[in-house]
Amino acid sequence: MTDMMRKISAGLESAFASRGFAEPSVEDLRDAAGVSLRTLYKYTPSRAEMVLAALENRHQRYLTRVFDGLPEEPDEALAAILSRVGIWMATETSHGCLFHAAVAADPGSLPLRQLLERHKGEVAERAAAATGLVGAETELLVIIEGLTQAWPLCGEATVEAAQRLGHALRSPGS
């Protein structure tokens, strides 16, 4: 990705995250990206491409924020992942998952559905690898998604609940 594409994608992500997918006009998106309309359309020739670029930027930022520099010990890695997801929710998007919101805004879009599936799949795979819970990707994704979706209602309590569920996943029968 070029520096210009990164700049545009970051601005688009910010606009869609703060205003949703329907509200921002093309002029609003141009302003958020900090480029001319011609440059915006050169790099993202349609609104659908703008949404995909924004979500790709978000995908990379999320993976970096949640998974980079995790502790090597599996229990500590699990605690760190769930804590970092809570921090992400508190600082980035207190109203839920932007990927799910994008699919809800355009449910017939195959590229959006594929990006959602890739994002969630990578999250589950990285969480399983970091925590030594390979084979429990679905369970980990349910915990992480539950934290994300419950955050708007319960805030910090969701991290504590996710930590308890993660502990139970690591220690079945206890």
Side-chain angles (χ1 to χ4, degrees), residues 54-136:
L55 291 174
E56 188 61 46
N57 190 71
R58 187 139 183 123
H59 171 69
Q60 295 304 323
R61 284 190 332 102
Y62 183 87
L63 293 179
T64 297
R65 181 90 57 89
V66 173
F67 295 105
D68 281 7
L70 286 172
E72 289 188 30
E73 200 283 314
D75 284 333
E76 292 176 20
L78 180 59
I81 289 166
L82 297 174
S83 177
R84 290 174 183 186
V85 172
I87 292 167
W88 176 272
M89 294 305 297
T91 60
E92 297 283 340
T93 179
S94 62
H95 52 272
C97 176
L98 196 61
F99 292 88
H100 284 294
V103 170
D106 188 2
S109 171
L110 182 59
L112 278 178
R113 167 131 333 258
Q114 290 171 332
L115 183 55
L116 169 70
E117 290 173 4
R118 180 170 60 89
H119 172 69
K120 300 304 181 180
E122 285 186 41
V123 167
E125 288 170 12
R126 287 188 181 206
T131 61
L133 290 167
V134 174

